[in-house]
Amino acid sequence: MSSTELTIDMKDIQFTLKEWLKIGELSQFPQYQDFDEQTVDLLVREGFDFAVNVLAPTRAPSDKDGCRVIDNRVQVPEYFHEPYKKAYELGWASLADKPENGGQGAPFVLGTTINEGIAGANVSLCAVFFLNGGAMRLIDSFGSDALKKKWIPRMASGEFTGTMCLSEPQAGSDLGLDTTTAEPMGDGRFKIKGTKCWITNGDTNLGKNVVHTVLARIKGAPAGSAGLSLFLVPYYNLKDDGSIGPGNDVALASIEHKMGMNASPTCVLNFGENNNCFGYLLGDENKGLSCMFQLMNEARMGTAVLGVGIASAAYQNALSYAKERVQGVHISRMKESDAPRVQIIEHPDVKLSLMTMKSKVEAMRALNYGTAKLIDISFVGETPETRAEAHNLVEILTPMCKGWSTEVGLDVVRMGIQLMGGVGYTKDFPMEQLYRDLRVSTIYEGTTGIQALDLVGRKMTMRNGALFMGLMQKFQGMVEQNSQIKGLESSVTKWSQYCESLADAAMTMQSMHGERGLEGAVLYATPFLMYCAAVTAGYFFLDQGITAAKNLEALADKNPENSQVQFYQNKLKTIHFYMHVVMPTFEGYAKAISNKTYDALDVAL
């Protein structure tokens, strides 16, 4: 089996898009009128074909070669240039962008689908596309007409690449401590001076120019995050005719030597070492962080998809290996000296591992695709109320998608390595690289702990708890309306118990706030996120199950050999397994919260 192999679970993806989410219905809205079911189906097939045949073969060699610094500039692996060029020429890198910005204007959920394949194929290239598009959309949202005209077309084509520059060596995730300064020049320019770190694709030779979006503090601005403004800072200035001009005093200080994503340069950048770096304001002064949250939230959803895409690739690879690898005899014939050797998929422990991987991948896909569809509804829903409800749900779902999908995705890959035994630990198979590449996702764009603080400290307290209560009302409606769906009865009953314990956990954390203040309230924020997200994924997974059960019931041919019958039955079994085997492992988080222990705060470490 080749280390570059990528297998896509097209059956589950097609079911998710066409039968469950009914993505073709989005074509009723003018914004998505060109994306009927037939068009979407064609795009999905061609998009995954691009991921499998163009991107996936670059994964292992680009990881081996990594990035190099030559003459103080980053050289990415040579394997990247042709796929990068094709991704923009064919539209895969900008599928969901507005047509006026060079995109195809596809629904966000379709973009999420294609990105799952791209992530599984080569996560380092996937990161380039995410950040290029995200930086471009920041300029589109907050830039002047002149800035849009000057920069967006060349970013949309991939000629220029984009970044987000937030963190600084002394500040890390505490952006309020950022010290990069911006001095107004009186001509629309600001002189930028400071150092930024952890900049993905901060320097690269994929494009002709790098366009940085930089948080900096205008002199005299308030202290803390309230005083940050957002700037467009290019590596090269442009001449009046649009041609590449002189350098803009942006210098590469170093690139990080990392555990994974070796083909993606993570840079330390110095702005204004020679006092000659200039930037252009995006949005209003002192509103930079609120502007940057647009890209941060996009990046969090994008990072969540990395978890889905790489976990799916790992499951599919482990499944193929288990069907091919012959080792040992069937457990029922262990005492027979002449018993034939069998494929390892016949061993109960391997079956359990594969089912665990499968159920987690499908639950992650349901959570992320379901949220992506809500993002579309928040833009094009028929009424203000519909759009507002979808927006509120997306607000509370975003940290769960990012935090849970990356943590669970990493666990799926770990299980795949274990299932494959020694070969899973070697570079002859993709599993060890998948693990290394995905490992940063739980840190990238805010650690899991930061996502948990966002969920517990911000989203659950917004509008007096309306977001969380709205989510719980959705859960209650699921139980009340679907407890008698044939094939889902025990799954719904079991899930309703998890909903109750989730509500109890939320109440417990409220009481801990009363007993120990804010530190008590957030002490178990990460365990709460992990449990809340597992329950929420269960909601979307059950909703899939309702579609599968109804479609199974409607089939005239109930022959178990029928591939559609098998698919629907397997979907119901997978959901049942998730509720009865996987969910209890997450329920332990709720039980830990219920014990209300403050040892972690009180022990002298």
Side-chain angles (χ1 to χ4, degrees):
M1 189 182 304
S2 168
S3 63
T4 61
E5 259 186 30
L6 173 66
T7 305
I8 304 295
D9 189 353
M10 286 300 295
K11 280 189 176 181
D12 193 62
I13 289 170
Q14 288 177 327
F15 164 79
T16 298
L17 289 177
K18 294 165 63 175
E19 299 181 51
W20 175 47
L21 294 177
K22 293 180 172 58
I23 189 173
E25 293 181 353
L26 287 173
S27 63
Q28 68 181 290
F29 301 106
Q31 185 172 336
Y32 299 139
Q33 62 183 354
D34 295 331
F35 295 91
D36 56 27
E37 185 177 302
Q38 188 176 11
T39 301
V40 168
D41 189 56
L42 177 65
L43 286 169
V44 168
R45 290 183 179 279
E46 291 185 350
F48 280 120
D49 182 71
F50 178 77
V52 170
N53 295 311
V54 178
L55 298 184
T58 69
R59 180 173 57 203
S62 63
D63 175 68
K64 181 180 179 181
D65 285 4
C67 297
R68 296 176 294 164
V69 177
I70 300 176
D71 296 330
N72 296 316
R73 296 302 307 273
V74 171
Q75 307 291 309
V76 301
E78 189 61 33
Y79 308 96
F80 271 17
H81 290 273
E82 190 61 26
Y84 176 83
K85 180 181 177 182
K86 286 184 177 179
Y88 279 99
E89 288 177 348
L90 298 174
W92 301 121
S94 54
L95 186 64
D97 283 318
K98 296 188 293 188
E100 55 265 38
N101 288 343
Q104 297 185 50
F108 187 83
V109 65
L110 179 56
T112 296
T113 305
I114 301 303
N115 285 335
E116 177 187 330
I118 294 175
N122 192 320
V123 68
S124 293
L125 267 172
C126 192
V128 177
F129 303 142
F130 278 160
L131 287 168
N132 286 7
M136 183 191 73
R137 286 185 289 274
L138 273 184
I139 299 168
D140 186 46
S141 295
F142 304 109
S144 65
D145 289 341
L147 289 176
K148 293 178 187 179
K149 183 178 179 180
K150 189 173 188 178
W151 299 101
I152 285 180
R154 301 175 81 168
M155 297 177 75
S157 69
E159 181 186 2
F160 293 173
T161 60
T163 76
M164 57 189 298
C165 300
L166 289 77
S167 299
E168 299 181 7
Q170 81 289 345
S173 298
D174 189 356
L175 300 180
L177 295 179
D178 279 7
T179 59
T180 297
T181 58
E183 180 183 352
M185 294 287 98
D187 59 359
R189 298 181 303 160
F190 288 77
K191 184 175 287 187
I192 308 297
K193 191 173 185 63
T195 298
K196 295 290 183 177
C197 62
W198 308 120
I199 310 305
T200 301
N201 301 312
D203 195 65
T204 172
N205 63 332
L206 278 172
K208 296 178 181 178
N209 201 355
V210 184
V211 182
H212 302 288
T213 55
V214 181
L215 287 179
R217 195 179 307 279
I218 297 173
K219 290 188 175 181
S225 59
L228 294 174
S229 299
L230 182 62
F231 298 89
L232 184 161
V233 184
Y235 184 90
Y236 288 113
N237 290 302
L238 298 183
K239 297 178 182 179
D240 291 341
D241 63 0
S243 61
I244 300 292
N248 190 33
D249 197 12
V250 179
L252 173 71
S254 64
I255 61 174
E256 304 295 345
H257 303 284
K258 302 172 297 186
M259 175 181 178
M261 288 186 70
N262 293 322
S264 173
T266 303
C267 304
V268 179
L269 300 176
N270 292 328
F271 296 87
E273 280 185 326
N274 300 305
N275 217 31
N276 197 35
C277 178
F278 298 95
Y280 306 88
L281 184 67
L282 296 173
D284 296 330
E285 292 186 10
N286 305 330
K287 300 296 183 182
L289 191 57
S290 62
C291 295
M292 187 63 93
F293 259 109
Q294 172 182 299
L295 177 49
M296 290 168 67
N297 283 327
E298 284 184 18
R300 286 172 177 178
M301 289 302 299
T303 306
V305 175
L306 302 186
V308 182
I310 294 180
S312 180
Y315 165 64
Q316 293 295 325
N317 199 264
L319 179 63
S320 296
Y321 181 83
K323 289 180 176 179
E324 295 173 4
R325 173 63 171 166
V326 175
Q327 182 173 308
V329 302
H330 194 277
I331 190 78
S332 64
R333 303 183 66 179
M334 284 188 66
K335 294 183 179 181
E336 300 177 23
S337 60
D338 59 347
R341 266 48 187 170
V342 298
Q343 288 87 358
I344 64 171
I345 198 170
E346 296 298 322
H347 302 319
D349 179 66
V350 172
K351 286 186 174 181
L352 182 67
S353 294
L354 288 170
M355 190 61 168
T356 301
M357 295 171 74
K358 174 181 169 66
S359 66
K360 287 182 176 180
V361 168
E362 292 185 16
M364 281 191 288
R365 185 175 289 127
L367 172 64
N368 283 276
Y369 283 36
T371 302
K373 174 74 175 294
L374 286 169
I375 291 174
D376 285 318
I377 297 301
S378 73
F379 291 128
V380 302
E382 292 181 351
T383 66
E385 292 77 17
T386 300
R387 295 193 295 272
E389 180 187 24
H391 174 77
N392 288 342
L393 286 169
V394 170
E395 286 268 23
I396 198 167
L397 289 169
T398 296
M400 288 191 268
C401 287
K402 195 281 180 184
W404 193 75
S405 299
T406 55
E407 292 283 358
V408 175
L410 194 64
D411 189 55
V412 168
V413 184
R414 181 204 62 79
M415 186 169 283
I417 293 174
Q418 187 71 19
L419 182 150
M420 294 174 69
V423 299
Y425 192 63
T426 70
K427 294 183 183 293
D428 297 323
F429 290 82
M431 210 67 76
E432 64 85 30
Q433 185 189 340
L434 293 177
Y435 187 87
R436 287 188 291 105
D437 284 350
L438 187 58
R439 183 63 188 87
V440 74
S441 68
T442 62
I443 302 168
Y444 191 55
E445 300 309 329
T447 63
T448 306
I450 288 175
Q451 305 307 314
L453 287 174
D454 182 40
L455 174 64
V456 172
R458 291 186 65 246
K459 302 301 172 59
M460 289 181 63
T461 60
M462 287 173 66
R463 305 184 195 112
N464 295 317
L467 273 63
F468 184 66
M469 287 188 288
L471 186 65
M472 295 300 289
Q473 287 170 1
K474 287 279 187 184
F475 293 174
Q476 183 178 357
M478 169 67 75
V479 174
E480 291 175 350
Q481 298 167 26
N482 300 291
S483 60
Q484 301 302 315
I485 298 287
K486 185 177 179 181
L488 278 177
E489 300 92 339
S490 65
S491 293
V492 173
T493 298
K494 196 70 176 174
W495 181 74
S496 69
Q497 296 169 7
Y498 301 133
C499 294
E500 292 174 5
S501 60
L502 176 62
D504 291 341
M507 293 294 292
T508 299
M509 292 177 70
Q510 276 191 328
S511 70
M512 294 174 75
H513 179 271
E515 295 172 5
R516 294 293 295 264
L518 283 175
E519 66 175 3
V522 302
L523 178 60
Y524 292 96
T526 297
F528 183 84
L529 177 143
M530 294 300 292
Y531 187 54
C532 185
V535 174
T536 303
Y539 166 81
F540 287 103
F541 213 6
L542 279 175
D543 203 42
Q544 275 196 353
I546 293 167
T547 299
K550 290 180 177 178
N551 289 355
L552 179 61
E553 188 67 22
L555 283 177
D557 178 12
K558 297 291 196 304
N559 187 338
E561 300 299 318
N562 182 317
S563 62
Q564 279 297 95
V565 170
Q566 285 185 352
F567 177 84
Y568 295 138
Q569 289 178 338
N570 284 344
K571 176 64 72 171
L572 297 177
K573 290 176 182 177
T574 304
I575 293 169
H576 185 273
F577 182 89
Y578 179 83
M579 296 302 173
H580 291 80
V581 180
V582 174
M583 273 301 303
T585 65
F586 289 103
E587 192 178 20
Y589 289 119
K591 292 182 178 178
I593 294 169
S594 69
N595 290 331
K596 288 178 62 175
T597 63
Y598 299 104
D599 297 337
L601 297 178
D602 297 335
V603 70
L605 296 173

